[in-house]
Amino acid sequence: MLYLSTRGHADRKRFCDILLEGLAPDGGLYLPVEYPQIDDAKLSQLRETLANKGYAALAFEILSLYIDDIPAEDLRALCAKTYTREVFGSDAIVPVRQLDGVLHIEALSNGPTLAFKDMAMQLLGNLFEYELARRNEELNILGATSGDTGSAAEYAMRGKKGVRVFMTSPHGRMSPFQQAQMFSLQDENIHNIAIEGVFDDCQDIVKAVSNDHTFKARYKIGTVNSINWARLLAQVVYYFAGYLQATRSNDQKVSFTVPSGNFGNICAGHVARQMGLPIAKLVVATNENDVLDEFFRTGVYQVRGSANTYETSSPSMDISKASNFERFVFDLVGRDGVRTRQLFAEGVAKAGKFDLSTDPAFEDAAGKYGFVSGKSTHADRLATIKDTFERFDQMIDTHTADGVKVAREHLGAEPMLVLETALPIKFAATIEEALGRQPDRPAKFNGIEDLPKRVVVMPSDVDKVKAFIAANCR
């Protein structure tokens, strides 16, 4: 399996090369040259694998379609090491529970940091350690987080040989619990950088450093954000697991609703659908930062600056520049790298927008690719959390509430699976506002907010971040 850049770079690379690289040299994102196809016989095999051997075995079957430069037995062992009951709390790993009629929730937040990001990040940590050992190399990971990516990455990479993490986050814009999860880590290979700005500023810094090829090569910079194909690939697996749990036969379809800001999580669903998984609709649920909802309604992708990126009660989606969106648009415009470069490197970078409203391809977003969308507000969030708790005795976090609210607007005859984003304790203030009580807290996190913090606050300045990385790589 070879991989290409969404912006047309000539090189074709193998999985382990792009695992350590992050962005392509032309600033594009990597995708496979073609999506491997799952026919009815293969889907039946995967159904039997999940039922009899479990999630780790299913992960191996999906990942091995994309990874041919890691020996099969090694890849199988990496999956078995990653997806365990001890790490994720149940043998199902991602159990599906019914909420109401055809509406279900796929539980993705039972990992070490109580967020869906653990599903991919735990595998990524093991893949990094494995490949770096094979090459006798080191890697300095530069990431950006709006809340959950950072802690998931740091918990996955702490103590890993040959790996340092430099994680940027928007100063003061994460929940106290999210900040404490990250900043309380004292491991020498973990470095937290709080940027005076919003998440998009952090993401821009990561891309700017990645596009400085001299610096990137000298300091061996990699990434754990969903711009890294390996992370998105790991997320594809739980779409298959959700589908197989919600259906009894391969002629059934399901839909997925995904709370989304950076488009990485739902982009994995797009990949699964392109592989042939019987998905009816992929529903994008946004909060007040509704750039993606605006695109799927109008065909206009209009990014917003820091001043117009709202601070909300579902902060992990406080994003107005969805970096993974480029992967979908690349497919939408017929895998035309030149066109994709024009839309993003010129349209978005210079004008802050592009307009596909009159392009025939835009009709394919819903028709050919199954995308629809909706928006949720703080008032919606509170009402959904309250209703879900009172009627079904299930407590959901703020982002999952956005998903449930929007999912109800797009229900059909088929099962609708809302992808759970995090456990409620990560957003305790809003849960208390909705329910008048604090959410349950796992014992291991008692008093986490009071632990000593290890974090550096910086202005939104690429050169200052580079200098910090250089100083801590000696």
Side-chain angles (χ1 to χ4, degrees):
M1 174 66 75
L2 295 176
Y3 294 85
L4 50 72
S5 168
T6 54
R7 298 189 184 182
H9 194 271
D11 288 351
R12 300 291 184 265
K13 298 187 177 182
R14 299 183 74 188
F15 175 82
C16 286
D17 293 321
I18 67 169
L19 168 69
L20 301 178
E21 185 174 346
L23 283 176
D26 59 358
L29 281 72
Y30 285 112
L31 276 174
V33 170
E34 60 184 6
Y35 297 112
Q37 295 301 294
I38 300 293
D39 59 16
D40 186 70
K42 181 64 174 178
L43 190 57
S44 294
Q45 179 200 334
L46 295 176
R47 189 179 294 278
E48 183 177 342
T49 296
L50 182 63
N52 297 327
K53 298 181 181 179
Y55 189 91
L58 177 69
F60 168 75
E61 292 293 337
I62 300 298
L63 297 177
S64 62
L65 298 174
Y66 291 91
I67 304 173
D68 57 10
D69 49 351
I70 294 177
E73 287 311 304
D74 289 357
L75 182 59
R76 193 188 306 273
L78 287 167
C79 292
K81 178 182 178 181
T82 300
Y83 298 112
T84 68
R85 181 185 184 90
E86 291 71 28
V87 174
F88 289 99
S90 74
D91 291 328
I93 308 297
V94 291
V96 172
R97 65 183 188 270
Q98 185 180 28
L99 188 62
D100 180 22
V102 298
L103 188 60
H104 298 70
I105 292 179
E106 185 171 0
L108 303 179
S109 303
N110 297 319
T113 70
L114 316 181
F116 82 95
K117 305 289 177 75
D118 290 323
M119 293 301 305
M121 212 66 76
Q122 287 291 309
L123 178 67
L124 202 56
N126 289 328
L127 283 169
F128 278 151
E129 188 174 49
Y130 170 86
E131 185 59 21
L132 291 170
R134 281 208 303 183
R135 299 181 180 214
N136 193 28
E137 293 180 2
E138 293 187 349
L139 184 68
N140 292 305
I141 293 168
L142 176 62
T145 185
S146 56
D148 293 326
T149 293
S151 56
E154 292 178 358
Y155 276 68
M157 306 299 165
R158 60 189 307 196
K160 287 283 190 288
K161 294 179 181 178
V163 180
R164 297 184 193 89
V165 177
F166 297 88
M167 187 59 61
T168 64
S169 61
H171 182 47
R173 281 188 172 244
M174 298 187 296
S175 75
F177 189 94
Q178 288 176 310
Q179 292 179 60
Q181 275 190 311
M182 291 174 56
F183 301 162
S184 64
L185 295 181
Q186 303 297 317
D187 304 72
E188 290 186 1
N189 70 324
I190 304 296
H191 302 276
N192 282 299
I193 307 169
I195 298 295
E196 295 173 328
V198 298
F199 170 76
D200 294 321
D201 297 315
C202 302
Q203 188 163 256
D204 286 345
I205 289 171
V206 172
K207 288 188 173 182
V209 173
S210 295
N211 283 321
D212 183 339
H213 302 304
T214 301
F215 186 89
K216 181 179 179 180
R218 179 178 179 184
Y219 291 102
K220 301 185 185 304
I221 302 294
T223 180
V224 291
N225 279 71
S226 48
I227 57 176
N228 188 313
W229 166 253
R231 187 178 138 189
L232 192 146
L233 176 57
Q235 294 175 289
V236 172
V237 178
Y238 55 66
Y239 280 88
F240 279 85
Y243 172 84
L244 294 171
Q245 290 179 79
T247 61
R248 294 186 177 181
S249 64
N250 298 346
D251 58 357
Q252 292 179 270
K253 287 191 173 185
V254 301
S255 291
F256 290 91
T257 297
V258 187
S260 190
N262 211 23
F263 206 77
N265 199 3
I266 200 163
C267 191
H270 166 67
V271 172
R273 194 174 189 272
Q274 292 303 103
M275 292 172 67
L277 189 66
I279 295 174
K281 294 189 290 285
L282 289 166
V283 185
V284 180
T286 72
N287 63 11
E288 293 88 339
N289 297 294
D290 58 350
V291 170
L292 292 171
D293 178 44
E294 183 176 67
F295 173 80
F296 286 108
R297 285 188 295 102
T298 69
V300 177
Y301 180 65
Q302 172 79 63
V303 303
R304 297 164 192 168
S306 300
N308 295 311
T309 300
Y310 306 114
E311 188 172 357
T312 77
S313 52
S314 49
S316 297
M317 302 196 301
D318 291 350
I319 298 168
S320 293
K321 193 181 295 181
S323 64
N324 253 288
F325 190 51
E326 183 169 329
R327 283 189 167 109
F328 169 65
V329 171
F330 176 68
D331 284 341
L332 185 65
V333 298
R335 299 205 133 201
D336 184 335
V338 174
R339 180 87 189 280
T340 305
R341 170 182 280 280
Q342 290 172 342
L343 292 173
F344 285 91
E346 297 175 22
V348 173
K350 296 178 181 178
K353 64 180 289 187
F354 60 74
D355 185 348
L356 295 181
S357 60
T358 60
D359 192 308
F362 175 60
E363 295 182 7
D364 289 342
K368 180 178 179 181
Y369 294 106
F371 276 96
V372 292
S373 66
K375 173 183 175 180
S376 176
T377 66
H378 181 68
D380 294 326
R381 234 161 274 139
L382 294 177
T384 302
I385 291 168
K386 188 172 188 292
D387 176 72
T388 303
F389 188 69
E390 290 180 346
R391 287 208 290 148
F392 310 112
D393 196 29
Q394 293 190 36
M395 191 181 295
I396 56 176
D397 86 289
T398 54
H399 307 74
T400 307
D402 289 334
V404 170
K405 184 266 183 184
V406 175
R408 291 190 181 281
E409 300 168 358
H410 294 282
L411 293 178
E414 74 281 355
M416 171 70 80
L417 275 63
V418 177
L419 296 193
E420 179 189 73
T421 300
L423 294 192
I425 185 58
K426 302 195 81 167
F427 310 97
T430 306
I431 302 301
E432 187 168 17
E433 183 181 357
L435 302 179
R437 55 159 287 183
Q438 283 279 311
D440 295 333
R441 175 185 292 250
K444 67 179 180 178
F445 290 113
N446 284 337
I448 190 173
E449 292 91 343
D450 300 323
L451 293 175
K453 306 295 191 293
R454 187 165 175 261
V455 59
V456 175
V457 179
M458 288 188 190
S460 182
D461 186 313
V462 174
D463 290 334
K464 283 184 168 54
V465 172
K466 285 182 181 178
F468 182 83
I469 292 171
N472 285 279
C473 287
R474 293 169 185 160

